[in-house]
Amino acid sequence: MQIAVIAGDGIGKDVTVEAVKVLQQVSSVFDAPIVLEHLPWGADHFLRTGETLPAGGYDLLRSFDAVFVGALGDPRVPDNRHARDILLGTRFELDLYVNYRPVRLLADRLCPLKHRGRADVNFVVFRENTEGVYVGIGGRFKAGTPDEVAIQEEINTYKGVHRIIRYAFAYAATHNLTKVCMADKSNAMQQGHALWQRVFHEVAAEFPGIAATHQYIDALAMFLVRDPGQYEVIVTNNLFGDIVTDIGGALQGGLGMAASGNLHPGRTSLFEPVHGSAPPLAGRNVANPMGAILSVALMLETLGPTAEAKAIEAAVEATVRAGETTADIGGSLGTREVGDRIAAALM
Ligand code: NAD
Ligand code: IPM
Ligand code: MN
């Protein structure tokens, strides 16, 4: 198995060291060789060379079985140009249309909600990952003047909406789940989100055994806090999915716990924690590496070695149960020490 590793910026570097440590340990415990190639792309590389990713960079990524990313974002690059090319660019160029973000609470005490626990926080979010407002179509007129006009278009295509909604239903069907909730803002966005409505009803009709419900995104955000137990599968657009999965991170104990996969079934996919580069925490051995480590588990689950993936998940759960965690979820260990405990728990 050949994996490209882009540690990126800030705490992306800190958590990637631990994710790689756990990946190497699992590979040795299961005697399944893994070849890693570290790519230096990120803010430092951009500031030194002026290059976000090299010519042929996306083709290079396609030559691996999977890509692991720490995080991208650095205050020295105020327009985040490198992150747009490396992260969003890869999502678009590799057509990684499924952003798979499971939200699973690993211990009741991590839940920020009163009287809620593991039974209430266990669902997956499928975020459309190649369209919406992220495509960067638009422009500015009279920029820098009091008359400035800024246009940022939202793109919704039948193909794009259909494939993510269908993926969500198919996932539910193959995982013995019976509920899919689609969230949009079709009461205000009468063109693009009318398409989501139409496609949702069309696809739901193919899956009569699955209860298909709809919530407007504002109501869904509220219900995620009041009653997250009602959800099994949520499917939504790119921007709304970005926002609700940060709420999902909070429900798991914090952003440091949340994992994700950017998928195109059958092709090279990209795995990363949901969190960003958290510049104030960078290099201080305080960032929680569990989201990154659980993203390695998602990567293995997707590539096939499910026993390895389950072993990593079990090791993370055991480490959480033992309270051997970073401070954001109540422990007193550093990033490296948590990585060591999880790697040791794999044996
Ligand atoms: P962030 O996720 O970096 O941090 C938000 C908050 O969560 C902070 O309070 C931080 O301390 C906390 N946090 C995040 N990860 C944590 C961890 N592993 N352990 C403990 N606490 C953690 O979001 P932000 O501050 O809005 O963004 C910082 C930079 O990261 C920006 O440049 C942004 O664009 C970028 N970003 C990148 C990605 C990515 O690469 N996938 C995702 C989100 C944000
Ligand atoms: C995420 C991040 C990215 C996004 C940023 C860094 C562009 O927030 O992966 O959730 O909005 O998709
Ligand atoms: Mn985000």
Side-chain angles (χ1 to χ4, degrees), residues 9-346:
D9 306 328
I11 64 165
K13 295 181 185 175
D14 306 344
V15 300
T16 298
V17 172
E18 306 315 312
V20 165
K21 187 187 283 175
V22 169
L23 183 58
Q24 276 167 338
Q25 180 67 11
V26 87
S27 128
S28 105
V29 169
F30 284 80
D31 200 17
I34 290 173
V35 179
L36 300 176
E37 182 162 335
H38 290 269
L39 302 172
W41 310 344
D44 289 338
H45 182 78
F46 172 64
L47 291 167
R48 206 171 45 244
T49 64
E51 173 184 274
T52 56
L53 72 179
Y58 300 122
D59 283 334
L60 174 64
L61 294 181
R62 279 189 201 97
S63 71
F64 291 92
D65 295 304
V67 181
F68 180 88
V69 171
L72 290 150
D74 187 303
R76 294 171 300 164
V77 188
D79 65 1
N80 250 325
R81 186 181 332 172
H82 68 301
R84 266 207 318 276
D85 281 3
I86 298 166
L87 184 62
L88 300 183
T90 303
R91 289 177 184 168
F92 294 136
E93 292 292 326
L94 274 62
D95 200 28
L96 305 175
Y97 67 91
V98 178
N99 198 324
Y100 167 44
R101 296 188 159 184
V103 179
R104 195 159 73 89
L105 183 66
L106 297 187
D108 288 350
R109 69 179 168 78
L110 301 189
C111 189
L113 307 178
K114 265 192 277 182
H115 315 304
R116 302 284 184 200
R118 296 191 68 176
D120 304 290
V121 181
N122 187 10
F123 57 91
V124 299
V125 178
F126 290 108
R127 162 186 178 188
E128 200 294 318
N129 214 27
T130 51
E131 304 195 338
V133 293
Y134 278 76
V135 294
I137 293 178
R140 268 183 287 175
F141 179 51
K142 298 189 179 178
T145 77
D147 296 323
E148 179 161 347
V149 178
I151 294 179
Q152 185 99 40
E153 296 287 3
E154 180 179 295
I155 303 302
N156 298 275
T157 69
Y158 179 85
K159 171 187 162 189
V161 175
H162 189 272
R163 65 184 182 174
I164 188 65
I165 290 179
R166 199 163 196 301
Y167 192 93
F169 276 94
Y171 178 94
T174 54
H175 289 77
N176 293 319
L177 300 172
T178 57
K179 296 194 280 187
V180 174
C181 180
M182 188 274 276
D184 65 16
K185 190 67 190 169
S186 49
N187 49 354
M189 304 185 69
Q190 291 156 357
Q191 308 305 335
H193 294 200
L195 178 59
W196 279 76
Q197 287 286 324
R198 178 192 142 203
V199 174
F200 185 60
H201 290 113
E202 190 180 307
V203 176
E206 287 177 48
F207 293 87
I210 294 177
T213 57
H214 166 260
Q215 288 173 353
Y216 296 118
I217 187 64
D218 47 352
L220 179 115
M222 178 274 294
F223 281 124
L224 276 175
V225 176
R226 284 202 71 90
D227 178 25
Q230 68 183 278
Y231 302 108
E232 290 183 348
V233 175
I234 293 171
V235 60
T236 190
N237 71 23
N238 207 339
L239 180 62
F240 297 164
D242 177 44
I243 297 166
V244 302
T245 54
D246 265 32
I247 301 176
L251 294 175
Q252 294 169 85
L255 267 182
M257 299 301 290
S260 80
N262 299 256
L263 319 173
H264 186 125
R267 296 200 198 161
T268 304
S269 294
L270 181 156
F271 300 83
E272 53 171 353
V274 172
H275 65 73
S277 57
L281 307 185
R284 294 174 39 209
N285 196 35
V286 294
N288 184 345
M290 288 180 168
I293 292 168
L294 290 168
S295 301
V296 168
L298 288 187
M299 179 170 85
L300 295 175
E301 175 194 300
T302 306
L303 290 176
T306 46
E308 284 93 321
K310 285 196 175 11
I312 294 176
E313 282 169 7
V316 172
E317 277 195 50
T319 309
V320 168
R321 260 199 316 276
E324 298 181 320
T325 74
T326 44
D328 55 306
I329 56 166
S332 57
L333 298 182
T335 310
R336 287 188 287 276
E337 291 68 33
V338 171
D340 289 343
R341 302 295 162 100
I342 295 170
L346 283 167

